[in-house]
Amino acid sequence: MKILVIGSGGREHALVWKIHQSPRVDKIFCAPGSAAIGELAECVAINPEQLDRLADFAEKEHIDLTVVGPELPLTLGIADLFESRHLRIFGPNQAAAQLEGSKAFTKEILRANGIPTAAFATCADAATAKRYLVRQKSPYVIKADGLAAGKGVLICATLAEAEAAIEEILVQKAFGAAGDKVVIEEYLDGEEASFMVLTDGEHVLPLASSQDHKRVFDNDQGPNTGGMGAYSPAPVVTPEVHERVLREVLTPLLDGLQRKNIRYRGLLYVGLMITKSGPKVIEFNARFGDPECQPIMMRLKSDLLPLLEATIDGKLDQVTAQWHQDPAICVVLTANGYPGAHDKGKEISGLDKLADWQQGFVFHAGTAKDNNRWLTTGGRVLGVTARGKSMAEAVTEVYRAVGEISWAGMHYRKDIARRALPHS
Ligand code: AMP
Ligand code: GLY
């Protein structure tokens, strides 16, 4: 088979790494890919939002399956375009991808189908938003409606901060058109978990559970990021929580979408808060989580391709996924300043020492190669990922590997998977 993966980050490196192990693969292309991805796939200089060029390329190269990494092409309708041209693609169509693309759409679906989530209001003007706000209690959760790379959520301790957040989003347009509306939410207390499933719109195949670490500093301090590290499995997703998510979230959600004539086919990421009264939905994503994808791909024993194909063909009831029992953990190394304005072009040292690493792999999120030197290019730079016999062993191993790597201003969290250790 010839495969095209779209994207260039750590998640796409992990997808390419996993697909590369499939005996059914003859050739992998990645658009646009990266220098590190280029060691496993042929990179093609087309960006994820250049939908027509991607379709032309898939047609010309007789690609058997295109796998979409990031959300933007999905919300722009890449699956609709590919399907109209009879090209096989893994990822939901534009209507279904609204579950990620619009928080207001998602909240309405949740409410209409009785799915547990935070109480909320959606407002398009600052005066209405502030009138609603004064009737709520602290902490206040203020979100830009559209896509904001995981950074469009502000959790405010005081009313003054919350009012400033509303001004920032609706008036100053800090997130551009993504902030044409704000969603004001009840604050949910509990532990978060990422619950990813494959669904063909009818059947659901849950993947292993995982947990992300959104805040930039240890002990969940500092601003939200795209994700500073992840591990799998997440003990907070007990068998009871697992059953409840299937019954209370996924079944009513797919029924609700069907009633709107929306068929979701792809990876559905359910971001959960496990509260005292059970799991509640924080958000949906229409694609694999990044960095959750990295430990999940490391734990997946089965070939990924038949699972993706069964999703497209509506046959997910006919496949199962096998998992390595060993837990896996990914620690994200970031550039100085991330998630704000950050450094670029710093030389990374130590990657050569991990070239033959047996217990893990270093996924690249934002690097480039200049002759034989690796340089930083992104905010999230590397995702150092390891497996171990226990979570404690995986943690020791991953941080040993992290210790081999350095560059000026490198930052990472030292407490990834700490919540899971008492269960280890
Ligand atoms: P979102 O982009 O909606 O996933 O939100 C990003 C992060 O903000 C989440 O992963 C949570 O850590 C936090 N968050 C979002 N909504 C809430 C909420 N209602 N209560 C508490 N924390 C929240
Ligand atoms: N790690 C969270 C996300 O991918 O949205």
Side-chain angles (χ1 to χ4, degrees):
M1 284 175 82
K2 277 169 120 181
I3 310 290
L4 169 64
V5 175
I6 297 175
S8 60
R11 164 184 51 214
E12 289 76 21
H13 195 190
L15 290 170
V16 167
W17 175 84
K18 179 66 188 165
I19 292 169
H20 189 259
Q21 294 164 22
S22 170
R24 297 175 53 201
V25 168
D26 301 307
K27 171 115 195 176
I28 310 175
F29 294 95
C30 190
S34 65
I37 290 175
E39 294 177 357
L40 301 169
E42 183 176 327
C43 296
V44 190
I46 309 177
N47 286 331
E49 65 280 9
Q50 295 178 303
L51 307 191
D52 288 314
R53 288 190 61 199
L54 289 165
D56 290 345
F57 178 83
E59 212 166 76
K60 180 170 85 51
E61 288 292 337
H62 303 288
I63 298 293
D64 297 295
L65 174 64
T66 297
V67 181
V68 185
E71 58 276 18
L72 186 59
L74 296 169
T75 55
L76 291 175
I78 192 169
D80 310 72
L81 174 69
F82 270 54
E83 277 160 25
S84 75
R85 293 176 61 168
H86 306 288
L87 296 163
R88 267 160 86 71
I89 187 160
F90 175 82
N93 64 20
Q94 190 169 30
Q98 287 180 90
L99 281 185
E100 171 155 11
S102 165
K103 290 188 190 297
F105 171 84
T106 295
K107 290 302 268 187
E108 288 308 334
I109 285 260
L110 292 170
R111 174 147 65 192
N113 294 284
I115 299 169
T117 188
F120 72 101
T122 304
C123 310
D125 74 277
T128 315
K130 288 179 189 172
R131 273 201 303 279
Y132 177 80
L133 198 62
V134 292
R135 299 197 302 271
Q136 312 309 310
K137 53 181 197 295
S138 166
Y140 306 92
V141 181
I142 316 287
K143 301 185 175 184
D145 174 51
L147 293 178
K151 296 164 204 157
V153 175
L154 299 149
I155 297 181
C156 308
T158 66
L159 191 58
E161 264 177 66
E163 287 179 343
I166 286 173
E167 287 280 324
E168 206 182 313
I169 297 173
L170 284 180
V171 183
Q172 290 148 29
K173 296 274 175 216
F175 302 100
D180 285 347
K181 291 183 217 160
V182 288
V183 176
I184 302 173
E185 272 188 23
E186 167 200 10
Y187 179 80
L188 297 175
D189 208 4
E191 193 175 329
E192 281 182 67
S194 308
F195 195 101
M196 288 191 265
V197 303
L198 293 172
T199 176
D200 55 23
E202 201 177 332
H203 317 100
V204 172
L205 179 72
L207 303 184
S209 62
S210 56
Q211 189 175 62
D212 188 13
H213 299 64
K214 295 245 156 101
R215 306 293 200 95
V216 72
F217 300 125
D218 286 4
N219 300 314
D220 298 327
Q221 300 297 307
N224 270 331
T225 68
M228 294 296 293
Y231 63 90
S232 170
V236 68
V237 183
T238 59
E240 187 218 333
V241 167
H242 180 101
E243 283 313 312
R244 284 187 69 172
V245 175
L246 292 179
R247 196 176 60 240
E248 296 173 16
V249 178
L250 287 156
T251 303
L253 176 70
L254 294 182
D255 287 350
L257 288 173
Q258 250 171 32
R259 276 194 295 277
K260 284 178 165 294
N261 279 324
I262 296 175
R263 177 157 184 198
Y264 195 108
R265 273 184 303 180
L267 185 294
L268 178 64
Y269 169 124
V270 187
L272 293 168
M273 188 69 85
I274 315 301
T275 70
K276 280 205 194 83
S277 59
K280 295 192 176 179
V281 173
I282 296 181
E283 63 164 347
F284 292 116
N285 293 321
R287 36 83 196 165
F288 285 95
D290 186 348
E292 291 96 321
C293 185
Q294 288 81 318
I296 297 263
M297 286 304 123
M298 198 163 274
R299 290 194 60 219
L300 180 62
K301 209 190 265 179
S302 312
D303 189 345
L304 180 61
L305 290 178
L307 304 180
L308 303 185
E309 292 200 296
T311 307
I312 296 171
D313 296 337
K315 293 182 176 163
L316 267 178
D317 54 332
Q318 296 172 28
V319 292
T320 52
Q322 307 298 323
W323 299 93
H324 292 287
Q325 285 306 308
D326 292 359
I329 163 173
C330 170
V331 176
V332 175
L333 313 186
T334 61
N336 188 30
Y338 178 79
H342 55 78
D343 288 347
K344 277 189 189 147
K346 302 289 177 199
E347 182 172 351
I348 305 169
S349 68
L351 284 171
D352 49 320
K353 293 186 212 138
L354 296 168
D356 299 315
W357 188 21
Q358 295 302 307
Q359 299 98 313
F361 195 82
V362 181
F363 296 110
H364 289 232
T367 68
K369 209 168 185 184
D370 173 33
N371 292 318
N372 277 330
R373 301 184 315 148
W374 285 103
L375 303 176
T376 69
T377 56
R380 292 196 289 177
V381 177
L382 297 170
V384 184
T385 310
R387 251 182 17 213
K389 295 228 171 314
S390 62
M391 193 62 83
E393 271 192 42
V395 167
T396 305
E397 181 58 19
V398 83
Y399 281 107
R400 183 196 68 73
V402 167
E404 302 281 6
I405 301 171
S406 67
W407 70 80
M410 174 177 116
H411 166 73
Y412 61 92
R413 277 183 63 162
K414 297 167 188 69
D415 62 348
I416 304 299
R418 188 181 289 164
R419 282 206 183 86
L421 285 179
H423 306 267
S424 192

